[in-house]
Amino acid sequence: MCAPVYCHGYPSIDRNIRHTPLLKVLLLDADRSLGRTLEPELDDAELFSAQSLSEGLRMIASGSWDLILLDADFSGAGLEILGRLHEDGGMAPVVLLTSQPTMDLAMEAIRQGAHDVLPKPLPRGRVREILLGVEEIKRLRPLPEPAGKPGEDTIVGASSQMMGVFKSIARAATSDATVLVLGESGTGKEMVARVLHSRSRRTRGPFVAINCAAIPENLLESELFGHEKGAFTGAIGRRIGRFERAHGGTLFLDEIGDMSMALQSKILRAIQEREVERVGGGSPVSIDVRIVAATNRDLAQAVREGRFREDLYYRLAVVTVLLPPLRDRGSDLDLLSMHFFAHYAREHGRPVRAVAEEVFNVLHRHPWPGNVRQLRNAAERAVVMADGETLLPQHLPADILNPPEPAAANGAAPAPTEPPLVTLEEMEKRMIRRALRETSNNVTVAAERLGIHRNTLRRKITDYGIEHG
């Protein structure tokens, strides 16, 4: 019969504060006292033990283990069991225990896949170190294969908000309807325009983009409609504008909300008449262009205030796609982060294979005012700065790790103020909650950060009635 399960610490508290289950350790050893000896070494872990070969084999086959402790002399078949586990693959790390350690035994055990070889009696603290390593590995997220082919336009998301965006794109892509894409800066408006183009019947035609806010007003008309030689000082030859260059394809007018009323009138005419007139030209030029416009401004409000033509607004907003800010997309932050990590690891030839869970804790604490564009830049920087196979919080940009304090309304730095006084008990509660939150509710690591013993931390969690996770 299986030996009793040793549940260390305070199981009832652990169930309330851990996101992940306790580590499961299997001990295969005829020595019944070894489990009690191991008890101080097993932080946040459950120990299961077997004393016979048949019982041990059954438990190996029926359980999902995080660590297996195997006596080399277990039923006279320790090394045989180790070899079988190694051949099967995908099993938990196996630590071989022996009361007669020798170089030959250690070398043979390592050859057969042992994670470590420990002498009996066990070195104090060594099993605990191994368990901490196992737990850290469980807290890594393996990097996925990059989504899509290099250079392919891919919008990543699984939130309900993005599902609505995907449906709008799918319905609009197959038509020639004008699309207005709304959203904060950095949310991916140009990416939507490119996907609309690539999924449309115009995919073989050109995709031409212009940022209306980045070009001076006196040059924007020429950029859009082109000009004839001699139309103005410096016009030394004919220039084909963006409307003509996009013939047979898609023209993306980014930041159209920053355009003057005069140019808005000419844009409206080009859309309605499907023709443009070059600056200094005398005859119209026919165009076949699908328009996708975008802005981070509230165009409806601009219409009410007389800053944007109402007729142009309705011409542009045949189909409207509203992109949510990154802060409202929930778990999409994780999906996007892993997508960018994988993409840049491939692009820059970096050896990153996994991401530490703490990286996502840091990312979720950031407000992301620059939205997806800011996240993309942060992910690229992290991948480039990573010095091994695991991406860690310290590889993230400094402004993500330590975001600056918000500036005062007049732009000046806020005057330093002392926080209001609170009781020591309340301060202690706050620090415990913060330590648990920043360590994903790992009691052992949180206790180490707070500089107290884990049992003291568990007692305080109980005394204060802290429930988290």
Side-chain angles (χ1 to χ4, degrees), residues 232-253:
F232 50 83
T233 303
I236 58 177
R238 171 182 285 180
R239 179 184 180 86
I240 302 301
R242 304 293 178 101
F243 270 92
E244 287 185 72
R245 286 160 54 186
H247 184 77
T250 303
L251 176 63
F252 175 53
L253 301 173

Side-chain angles (χ1 to χ4, degrees), residues 344-376:
Y344 287 116
R346 177 175 65 182
E347 181 173 301
H348 295 298
R350 306 299 289 178
V352 177
R353 297 180 181 276
V355 183
E357 192 67 32
E358 182 63 19
V359 168
F360 297 96
N361 295 335
V362 173
L363 295 179
H364 278 280
R365 290 197 295 269
H366 194 73
W368 300 108
N371 291 292
V372 178
R373 182 187 296 123
Q374 183 187 13
L375 176 63
R376 183 175 194 139

Side-chain angles (χ1 to χ4, degrees), residues 301-373:
Q301 180 66 26
V303 168
R304 290 191 291 270
E305 295 174 355
R307 294 182 289 106
F308 199 85
R309 292 183 63 103
E310 184 176 21
D311 46 5
L312 177 58
Y313 172 68
Y314 288 118
R315 277 288 181 180
L316 295 174
V318 175
V319 177
T320 301
V321 177
L322 177 60
L323 288 177
L326 183 56
R327 61 182 174 274
D328 293 341
R329 290 178 56 180
S331 61
D332 279 356
L333 176 62
D334 291 16
L335 287 174
L336 283 161
S337 301
M338 292 297 274
H339 169 71
F340 292 141
F341 291 146
H343 171 80
Y344 287 116
R346 177 175 65 182
E347 181 173 301
H348 295 298
R350 306 299 289 178
V352 177
R353 297 180 181 276
V355 183
E357 192 67 32
E358 182 63 19
V359 168
F360 297 96
N361 295 335
V362 173
L363 295 179
H364 278 280
R365 290 197 295 269
H366 194 73
W368 300 108
N371 291 292
V372 178
R373 182 187 296 123

Side-chain angles (χ1 to χ4, degrees), residues 16 29 63 76 185 191 196 370 382 390 392 399 407 425:
N16 288 330
D29 197 316
S185 179
M191 179 68 76
L196 282 167
T390 302
L392 302 170
D399 63 321
E425 179 179 312

